[in-house]
């Protein structure tokens, strides 16, 4: 008797679950969701006109662009964002020689260290073996300085975002005021104090203030005109390199591999024909 009651109770629970699933499925299929301002006016990210030099299967790093991107990061982005997975010695891959790498590292005078005499924590100039430091000692300090929003580390940011290089470029160039169409369709939409409207950010309101605001904010030494678009493109390319420094090398190695596979496939095809050439197929009766 107890088993029968238990089975009936189980069947009852199963029936209720199936009934709930059926109602939820019906409601999801027939109820039209209301579109929010974020859904309607959020724009998909895009890259610069002509794309990046590293795009495509034949793409290559533009070392001058990567050096300019590092300069933009150093002079603009590093005040809020660290790069804990990038060592100063890695900058040699951008075309800097050993002395230049040492000089670039020494420009950072806030690298955490230890006093050899007292054992106390100090800050010191960087060396090539150091990693690019965070501007904040901990996340609490980072949140306090940025309206409770902790700036992300930028070492791998282009790998952590969909279409990362295009996302970074669009975000840096996408600050503006809400359009008249948005205000007309969503009168209640607003950008709270401490946030900034950006049409390429998923919820349109971003805690990060516009980092690149005027042309010429960074002075390039190679003669390139430092427009907002150019500086955004350069730092996006640099962050692509920091996230995947071997990307171009991997592409270049892929072509010999594909060539070998094609040759091996052709060789195997002719070998098969040679081996089976003496075997005559049986005629169907």
């Amino acid at each position: 008797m107890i088993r029968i009651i238990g089975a009936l109770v189980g069947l009852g629970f199963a029936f209720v679950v199936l009934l709930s699933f059926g109602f939820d499925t019906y409601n999801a299929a027939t109820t039209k969701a209301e579109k929010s301002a974020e859904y309607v006016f959020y724009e998909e990210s895009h890259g610069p006109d002509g794309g990046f030099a590293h795009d495509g299967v034949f793409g290559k790093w533009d070392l001058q662009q990567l050096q300019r991107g590092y300069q933009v990061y150093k002079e603009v982005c590093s005040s809020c964002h660290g790069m804990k997975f990038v060592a100063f010695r890695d900058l040699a891959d951008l075309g800097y020689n050993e002395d230049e790498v040492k000089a670039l590292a020494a420009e950072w005078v806030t690298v955490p260290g230890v006093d050899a005499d007292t054992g106390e924590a100090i800050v010191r100039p960087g060396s090539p073996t150091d990693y690019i430091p965070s501007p904040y000692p901990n996340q609490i300090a980072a949140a306090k300085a940025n309206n409770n929003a902790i700036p992300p580390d930028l070492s791998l940011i282009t790998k952590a975002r969909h279409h990362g290089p295009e996302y970074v470029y669009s975000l840096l160039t996408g600050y503006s005021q809400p359009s008249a169409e948005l205000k007309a369709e969503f009168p209640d939409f607003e950008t709270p104090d401490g946030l900034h409207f950006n049409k390429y950010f998923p919820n349109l309101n971003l805690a990060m203030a516009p980092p690149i605001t005027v042309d010429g904010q960074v002075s390039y030494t190679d003669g390139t005109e430092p427009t907002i678009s150019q500086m955004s493109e350069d730092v996006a390319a640099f962050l692509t390199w920091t996230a995947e420094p071997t990307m171009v090398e991997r592409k270049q190695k892929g072509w010999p591999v594909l060539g070998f596979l094609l040759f091996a496939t052709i060789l195997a095809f002719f070998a098969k024909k040679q081996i089976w050439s003496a075997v005559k197929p049986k005629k169907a009766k």
Side-chain angles (χ1 to χ4, degrees):
M1 188 65 180
I2 295 177
R3 291 181 178 178
I4 296 175
I5 294 175
L8 291 175
V9 171
L11 288 173
F13 275 116
F15 175 76
V16 171
V17 171
L18 289 174
L19 190 65
S20 175
F21 176 77
F23 277 122
D24 288 343
T25 303
Y26 174 79
N27 290 333
T30 58
T31 303
K32 187 176 181 180
E34 294 185 3
K35 293 183 177 180
S36 64
E38 292 85 351
Y39 182 87
V40 174
F41 288 94
Y42 168 68
E43 295 189 17
E44 292 292 335
S45 57
H46 70 284
D49 294 339
F52 292 96
H54 58 260
D55 285 343
V57 294
F58 297 105
K60 295 182 179 180
W61 296 124
D62 182 341
L63 295 185
Q64 280 194 320
Q65 181 178 58
L66 297 185
Q67 291 184 11
R68 294 195 303 267
Y70 170 73
Q71 184 180 354
V72 175
Y73 167 75
K74 174 66 169 61
E75 297 184 18
V76 179
C77 308
S78 64
S79 60
C80 294
H81 301 274
M83 302 190 79
K84 62 183 178 181
F85 297 120
V86 180
F88 293 114
R89 62 189 174 198
D90 296 332
L91 298 178
D93 294 340
L94 305 188
Y96 296 112
N97 60 40
E98 183 177 352
D99 291 335
E100 289 173 330
V101 170
K102 290 181 179 178
L104 291 173
E107 291 177 357
W108 297 71
V109 295
T110 57
V111 176
V114 176
D115 190 301
D117 297 324
T118 65
E120 296 181 351
I122 59 171
V123 292
R124 57 174 175 78
S127 66
T129 56
D130 291 318
Y131 287 79
I132 297 178
S134 169
Y136 305 105
N138 52 61
Q139 292 191 341
I140 297 176
K144 288 291 185 181
N146 293 278
N147 197 27
N148 291 323
I150 300 175
D153 184 271
L154 295 184
S155 305
L156 306 174
I157 194 66
T158 58
K159 297 291 287 183
R161 300 293 186 270
H162 187 59
H163 296 306
E166 291 80 10
Y167 172 83
V168 172
Y169 174 82
S170 298
L171 200 70
L172 293 175
T173 58
Y175 288 93
S176 61
Q177 295 298 320
S179 65
E181 292 80 6
L182 186 153
K183 293 182 177 179
E185 187 167 350
F186 297 93
D188 294 334
F189 177 84
E190 62 179 11
T191 298
D193 292 340
L195 299 182
H196 308 272
F197 181 81
N198 191 308
K199 60 185 177 181
Y200 296 105
F201 192 66
N203 67 6
L204 300 182
N205 291 324
L206 177 62
M208 181 177 70
I212 301 176
T213 55
V214 294
D215 294 341
Q217 187 170 338
V218 173
S219 298
Y220 289 149
T221 58
D222 63 356
T224 302
E225 184 179 358
T227 62
I228 293 177
S229 176
Q230 184 66 58
M231 289 183 285
S232 301
E233 177 183 348
D234 293 341
V235 75
F238 172 70
L239 294 178
T240 304
W241 172 80
T242 63
E244 198 171 4
T246 61
M247 179 180 66
V248 169
E249 181 182 1
R250 189 183 71 248
K251 291 179 181 179
Q252 293 174 344
K253 288 182 177 179
W255 288 110
V257 172
L258 290 176
F260 171 78
L261 291 176
L262 179 61
F263 173 76
T265 301
I266 296 173
L267 190 65
F269 173 75
F270 284 110
K272 176 258 182 187
K273 289 184 69 67
Q274 178 68 25
I275 292 172
W276 292 92
S277 61
V279 180
K280 296 182 179 179
K282 294 182 178 179
K283 295 181 180 180
K285 296 182 178 179

